[in-house]
Amino acid sequence: TLGIEVHGQLGAHITAKDLALHIIGTLGAAAGNGHAVEYFGETVRAALCTKPAYGSRPSRVIAPGVDVHRFRPDVQARAAVRSRLGWHDNTPIVGFLGRFVPQKDLSTLMRALERAAEPWHALFVGGGPMAADLSAFSAAHPNRVHVLTDVVHDDVPALLNAMDMLCAPSET
């Protein structure tokens, strides 16, 4: 098993995923070919442990890193957020939650929304250097787009409930 321990603080707009991709890029994707496997969830373990490359290795299941009691469907939270945003109809809400950086390819998402034939609302939740681009997009589509940059973690489950579709465009 390969273990890597990192100390320090991540810079602005750098996530654990960015760090992991950097480490993989430095060591090479095969560097972690060890003798143990860690599975995220029992379903993944059950599916992969039957395959020869995985079944004979020692393994363990890692619990989800998400609080499934807080991040769950909530009809009341959905209605409250939609009302607070001034969206009282059933128009689908396309959402994004994350860093507003070029690597997340928000430009493609904005272009796709502009080309969509069906009605839509868009909710962008996060922060970063592309906030001005998203604000301009919001100004170009009044009453259709909201950009929220001052969201605290406790508000995220309700915002996710308001979304009909969570988009994760990315160049990485």
Side-chain angles (χ1 to χ4, degrees), residues 47-172:
L48 290 177
C49 74
T50 61
K51 301 191 181 305
Y54 297 96
S56 61
R57 294 181 179 184
S59 66
R60 70 177 179 169
V61 176
I62 299 173
V66 174
D67 182 343
V68 295
H69 299 289
R70 290 189 62 227
F71 289 86
R72 61 175 173 68
D74 184 336
V75 175
Q76 291 175 333
R78 173 182 173 78
V81 170
R82 290 178 75 104
S83 178
R84 186 178 54 155
L85 296 174
W87 295 334
H88 302 286
D89 57 8
N90 289 324
T91 300
I93 297 177
V94 177
F96 173 84
L97 174 72
R99 297 177 302 135
F100 298 164
V101 295
Q103 297 89 336
K104 296 300 179 186
D105 204 12
L106 294 169
S107 298
T108 297
L109 177 55
M110 289 185 279
R111 283 192 308 275
L113 287 167
E114 287 180 322
R115 293 177 184 165
E118 299 296 319
W120 53 267
H121 292 300
L123 177 57
F124 294 88
V125 179
M130 289 189 69
D133 297 308
L134 291 168
S135 292
F137 183 70
S138 178
H141 301 281
N143 303 317
R144 291 183 82 182
V145 179
H146 283 282
V147 180
L148 305 179
T149 58
D150 57 351
V151 174
V152 296
H153 183 73
D154 287 345
D155 293 341
V156 170
L159 293 168
L160 288 173
N161 267 286
M163 299 174 189
D164 295 288
M165 177 187 310
L166 176 64
C167 293
S170 184
E171 293 182 353
T172 59

Side-chain angles (χ1 to χ4, degrees), residues 11-38:
H13 309 297
I14 304 293
T15 66
K17 177 184 172 187
D18 297 322
L19 180 61
L21 290 172
H22 174 75
I23 291 169
I24 290 169
T26 301
L27 298 177
N33 287 350
H35 301 286
V37 179
E38 292 179 336

